[in-house]
Amino acid sequence: MFSRNPRGKSSSRPSVNRAGRPTSRGRRRAPQARALDLTQFVKKAIQTTETEVFNPKHRFADFEMHSKLKANVAAAGYVHPTPIQDGTIPHILNGRDVIGIANTGTGKTAAFLLPLIHKTFKHRTEKVLIIVPTRELALQIEDELRKFATGSGLCSALCIGGAHMGDQLRSLSRNPSFVIGTPGRLKDLIERKKLHIAEFNNIVLDEVDRMLDMGFINDIKYLVALMKTPRQSLFFSATMPREILDLAQKFLNDPVTITIKSRATSENVDQDIVRVGPKEEKIEVLHNLLIMPELKKVLIFGRTKHGVEKLASRLEDRGFKADSIHGDKSQSQRARALRRFKNDELTVLVATDVAARGLDIPDVTHVINYELPENYEDYIHRIGRTGRGDKKGNALTFVD
Ligand code: ADP
Ligand code: MG
């Protein structure tokens, strides 16, 4: 166990709370600490037991999907659909509008991609617009799309900020069946008359809750209103706040809502706090953790772009294979850092919340909250990057 870990001592929890209280006025972290109950960050993982194993109603082979698509799904190693896939795919294949609500890491991407790929396989005139909150998520979805649409001849265009406009214009000129983008860039391309959104009769809004948090709601209203009707509309999210329901009521046609009440993402994540004493250097504490052999692949969260950048370079100076992703980096730098982290060329990735949202990185052993998240929801999203699927993960939150 970690030396600064107070768990196990009888006085641990109250002292944790005291540490978080804004006793000394003007401390930078005081406002967040007040809003956060630090005991929330200490939790033992619940081991998944046999009885929790989900029995899907369908197998992928049962779905009425193109044989080539099924072969690609099998090649990806998917045998049984996840609960959200099991629940939504049949409705999407039937042409219904769907609201899918399930935790992060539960396979929402394939839930919407597979039936939509099938649809475009069958009718080449179908056009799909996928709107996501972040660039990384768009890239990730395009990767999945490529995997599942291998051999179909379907083409796609990525329309994200921070990336080369010329390439995007070229891929749009090829009349892609799928366009995946972030709201700002999509709007820009529509205004330049390069993206003819009125031709699109399928829309996916992924991570809708995050798009709301990021202030994209008006952009989304603008985009959806320009689309073709009738259309098939799919909303996917981990939570469904009131504003989204209002939006859904306005833009969806008699939707089927599938809510998966799975165990919280955090349940298979061992969560603990790391106390940093008044005389200790935070970076030293971090250093001492990172040299422990079990911290093999570590995602560290900081609050500001500048802070994240600085921390990554300080860790690099100390000999750690570290890099960062945040909003001040170019898209190619972000993609490169992410790729290297995914491929285990880096052991440490330092990120801001926005840059890391929705990312599916295999085998992250530890998430470290070097700085506290804004709220508990962000905390849950951060720690959801470890312990994906059935794996056990670890989350450590620095408290000073
Ligand atoms: P979400 O969007 O719900 O956060 P993702 O779509 O990113 O989840 O999926 C999480 C991980 O689970 C990915 O690595 C994906 O390849 C994998 N996955 C999804 N569906 C299945 C399945 N049916 N069988 C096996 N792995 C799956
Ligand atoms: Mg997702």
Side-chain angles (χ1 to χ4, degrees):
M1 254 302 134
F2 304 107
S3 55
R4 286 161 195 86
N5 173 349
R7 202 207 281 150
K9 294 178 197 157
S10 59
S11 63
S12 66
R13 297 217 171 175
S15 77
V16 169
N17 261 340
R18 262 202 304 282
R21 248 176 235 149
T23 43
S24 49
R25 242 173 231 252
R27 277 184 58 182
R28 207 172 68 77
R29 233 180 305 283
Q32 315 141 30
R34 192 176 16 234
L36 295 165
D37 169 7
L38 298 177
T39 58
Q40 298 177 110
F41 305 146
V42 184
K43 215 171 271 173
K44 198 87 188 123
I46 297 170
Q47 292 298 313
T48 314
T49 60
E50 278 303 308
T51 52
E52 281 179 80
V53 171
F54 162 72
N55 288 316
K57 285 201 200 84
H58 313 91
R59 289 174 310 154
F60 281 112
D62 301 336
F63 293 133
E64 265 190 52
M65 295 192 305
H66 199 287
S67 56
K68 196 168 248 158
L69 176 58
K70 282 188 189 173
N72 291 341
V73 170
Y78 292 15
V79 181
H80 295 291
T82 65
I84 190 71
Q85 293 163 357
D86 201 45
T88 56
I89 289 176
H91 293 294
I92 304 174
L93 285 171
N94 279 336
R96 294 288 300 268
D97 282 3
V98 170
I99 301 176
I101 304 167
N103 278 325
T104 175
T106 56
K108 294 191 285 296
T109 318
F112 60 78
L113 278 184
L114 298 181
L116 290 175
I117 294 171
H118 170 74
K119 198 173 179 183
T120 44
F121 252 133
K122 235 169 94 185
H123 308 283
R124 293 288 163 152
T125 50
E126 295 287 332
K127 283 176 157 282
V128 182
L129 179 67
I130 302 174
I131 311 180
V132 297
T134 67
R135 301 160 184 185
E136 277 76 14
L137 198 55
L139 284 161
Q140 201 169 288
I141 290 173
E142 198 192 34
D143 281 349
E144 293 268 296
L145 175 65
R146 289 223 174 106
K147 185 167 75 185
F148 293 128
T150 304
S152 67
L154 293 172
C155 63
S156 62
L158 202 61
C159 300
I160 55 179
H164 196 250
M165 191 60 117
D167 292 344
Q168 295 182 9
L169 294 178
R170 251 191 311 283
S171 53
L172 282 175
S173 70
R174 283 188 215 116
N175 194 25
S177 305
F178 283 80
V179 169
I180 307 164
T182 46
R185 181 57 67 97
L186 288 170
K187 210 172 146 204
D188 190 6
L189 287 163
I190 290 165
E191 281 161 2
R192 292 174 185 223
K193 303 205 181 339
K194 299 296 178 192
L195 171 62
H196 307 290
I197 194 174
E199 296 169 1
F200 286 72
N201 57 340
N202 298 279
I203 183 168
V204 180
L205 298 183
D206 192 21
E207 302 247 3
V208 198
D209 46 356
R210 188 56 170 187
M211 290 206 268
L212 186 78
D213 289 349
M214 290 172 73
F216 288 143
I217 189 123
N218 287 329
D219 286 348
I220 290 167
K221 284 183 182 159
Y222 166 87
L223 292 167
V224 179
L226 295 175
M227 290 183 66
K228 194 169 177 173
T229 48
R231 63 163 180 263
Q232 187 171 16
S233 311
L234 312 174
F235 280 26
F236 280 86
S237 193
T239 58
M240 199 46 70
R242 183 75 242 161
E243 293 95 321
I244 304 291
L245 278 178
D246 293 345
L247 195 69
Q249 247 153 28
K250 186 151 178 240
F251 289 116
L252 271 61
N253 176 23
D254 186 24
V256 185
T257 303
I258 306 288
T259 307
I260 304 300
K261 289 197 179 55
S262 48
R263 65 206 159 99
T265 316
S266 57
E267 281 186 9
N268 52 344
V269 178
D270 244 335
Q271 301 161 59
D272 215 332
I273 57 168
V274 177
R275 297 284 302 273
V276 181
K279 293 211 176 74
E280 285 177 309
E281 279 266 15
K282 208 170 168 184
I283 184 116
E284 297 298 339
V285 178
L286 180 63
H287 185 125
N288 289 336
L289 284 173
L290 292 177
I291 56 177
M292 297 172 89
E294 62 266 38
L295 279 85
K296 289 195 180 71
K297 196 168 181 178
V298 186
L299 182 59
I300 302 179
F301 283 96
R303 291 175 59 79
T304 64
K305 300 171 198 171
H306 176 70
V308 160
E309 177 71 33
K310 202 168 124 199
L311 181 60
S313 71
R314 288 180 75 188
L315 291 174
E316 250 196 305
D317 291 345
R318 286 164 177 256
F320 293 104
K321 285 186 258 166
D323 203 345
S324 63
I325 52 170
H326 56 74
D328 275 351
K329 285 199 145 176
S330 73
Q331 191 47 44
S332 62
Q333 287 172 318
R334 287 163 67 162
R336 181 168 180 270
L338 198 60
R339 193 178 59 242
R340 294 180 68 217
F341 189 55
K342 281 190 174 176
N343 297 342
D344 298 326
E345 289 165 48
L346 300 174
T347 51
V348 179
L349 185 68
V350 192
T352 51
D353 285 285
V354 166
R357 174 77 182 210
L359 294 183
D360 179 45
I361 306 163
D363 307 319
V364 172
T365 60
H366 290 74
V367 164
I368 295 183
N369 297 304
Y370 192 67
E371 288 170 302
L372 290 176
E374 200 70 51
N375 51 48
Y376 190 62
E377 211 181 313
D378 282 351
Y379 173 76
I380 290 296
H381 276 288
R382 285 180 176 191
I383 72 167
R385 306 301 114 212
T386 178
R388 308 277 283 168
D390 290 336
K391 299 196 182 92
K392 191 170 85 69
N394 300 278
L396 295 169
T397 300
F398 274 61
V399 177
D400 52 2

